[in-house]
Amino acid sequence: MRVYLSEDYKSMSRRAANILSAQVITKPDSVLGLATGGTPVGAYQQLVEWYQKGDLSFAETRSVNLDEYYGLSPRHEQSYRYFMQVNLFDHIDIKYENTHVLDGLAKSPVAECARYNQLIRSLGGIDLQLLGMGHNGHIAFNEPGDGFELETHLVTLTESTIEANTRFFGRREDVPRQALSMGIKNIMQARRILIMVSGEAKADIVCRAFRGPISTQVPASILQLHPDVTLVGDREALHKLVEAGEPVCG
Ligand code: F6R
């Protein structure tokens, strides 16, 4: 694993955007696995800025998002499809038909998950998967205790994730209780992983994920077994990992 420590959120976002843009420049038709949540917003803003300057094009790029709330329409302001449009897709030249997000209104979640697994395979797999990490170590909506062998599946959100996501919905009772999510197996099959972490509240779980035992209780710990992981974080999120002896690149 390569670890890049940045002093603050802005420089961390720039670092992550650098890695994403290098992927797109060296392989314009890359399949990017994309994440939502608060952490990658700055990196997406940076990519938009570079696109607007003419330094970057996504005209051939394909994308698959990690997850979507089950029961939310793509037009709902808290849906992950809406998030991706507002934070990235509407501002760059990626073709809408090349962007893929799970359908939160699918009548059959089982069929929708099977379709998504097949879609990822038909795209040739994911070249670079961007991830954030939950306070309980979740990646995508793979919660503690979920099997590492799972592909895309319907998830019942834990209380801790509902709590963390209440900030986006305003009221706890408005947070959906279920989501469709890529599984750990899909994530581990990506050729490269870029994981972003920010803020003191992540410092303990980052340390457990990358220095502790590999366990389904900390889903992100499985990344220790992936051959090409880059961790990008700010000092607040990474200081405990570094104090525990993890070498950093910069
Ligand atoms: C989002 C996702 C989640 C988030 C995680 C961290 O697509 O899959 O696993 O990455 O909950 O969220 P933030 O970045 O808001 O701390």
Side-chain angles (χ1 to χ4, degrees):
M1 176 171 76
R2 283 171 300 278
V3 181
Y4 289 101
L5 185 150
S6 300
E7 282 312 315
D8 54 28
Y9 178 77
K10 195 168 168 52
S11 51
M12 173 195 91
S13 300
R14 199 178 160 86
R15 173 83 71 177
N18 259 309
I19 295 168
L20 286 158
S21 62
Q23 175 70 41
V24 171
I25 289 167
T26 51
K27 186 175 183 237
D29 64 348
S30 286
V31 177
L32 299 181
L34 297 177
T36 60
T39 313
V41 170
Y44 292 156
Q45 279 168 0
Q46 183 65 79
L47 291 177
V48 169
E49 205 181 304
W50 286 334
Y51 164 73
Q52 285 170 347
K53 278 190 184 158
D55 290 342
L56 201 53
S57 169
F58 298 86
E60 293 174 51
T61 307
R62 286 86 50 82
S63 73
V64 283
N65 259 79
L66 284 169
D67 41 19
E68 179 60 287
Y69 287 114
Y70 188 56
L72 289 197
S73 136
R75 291 198 183 80
H76 190 290
E77 286 188 10
Q78 292 307 329
S79 76
Y80 287 172
R81 163 56 81 176
Y82 189 93
F83 174 103
M84 290 309 302
Q85 294 301 136
V86 168
N87 286 288
L88 184 65
F89 299 156
D90 284 348
H91 312 289
I92 59 174
D93 60 347
I94 196 165
K95 296 186 182 79
Y96 183 86
E97 61 272 24
N98 285 342
T99 66
H100 304 281
V101 182
L102 281 147
D103 178 5
L105 293 182
K107 286 203 175 59
S108 162
V110 173
E112 175 61 3
C113 292
R115 181 193 71 83
Y116 211 65
N117 291 328
Q118 184 48 38
L119 170 77
I120 296 169
R121 277 190 270 276
S122 71
L123 293 172
I126 298 166
D127 289 303
L128 175 60
Q129 177 64 59
L130 177 64
L131 297 174
M133 194 193 300
H135 297 106
N136 60 3
H138 74 224
I139 46 177
F141 274 121
N142 295 281
E143 300 282 9
D146 289 351
F148 284 155
E149 74 290 354
L150 291 174
E151 294 193 291
T152 311
H153 60 293
L154 180 69
V155 182
T156 298
L157 305 191
T158 62
E159 286 306 312
S160 123
T161 299
I162 292 169
E163 191 64 47
N165 290 359
T166 297
R167 71 189 196 276
F168 298 115
F169 285 82
R171 294 187 324 164
R172 189 187 166 86
E173 52 270 38
D174 292 339
V175 183
R177 271 25 188 186
Q178 290 182 304
L180 301 169
S181 176
M182 273 191 213
I184 296 288
K185 186 170 173 184
N186 304 102
I187 294 169
M188 289 297 282
Q189 284 173 343
R191 286 182 269 284
R192 300 175 66 205
I193 304 266
L194 170 60
I195 179 159
M196 300 180 71
V197 288
S198 170
E200 179 63 39
K202 299 277 172 78
D204 277 320
I205 195 66
V206 169
C207 204
R208 283 179 65 203
F210 294 108
R211 302 289 293 190
I214 298 168
S215 156
T216 55
Q217 291 311 311
V218 182
S221 65
I222 190 71
L223 298 175
Q224 293 180 38
L225 296 181
H226 193 285
D228 191 340
V229 176
T230 303
L231 170 64
V232 172
D234 56 21
R235 185 171 294 282
E236 286 187 345
L238 291 186
H239 72 98
K240 288 192 179 169
L241 186 71
V242 174
E243 282 153 24
E246 188 71 30
V248 294
C249 305

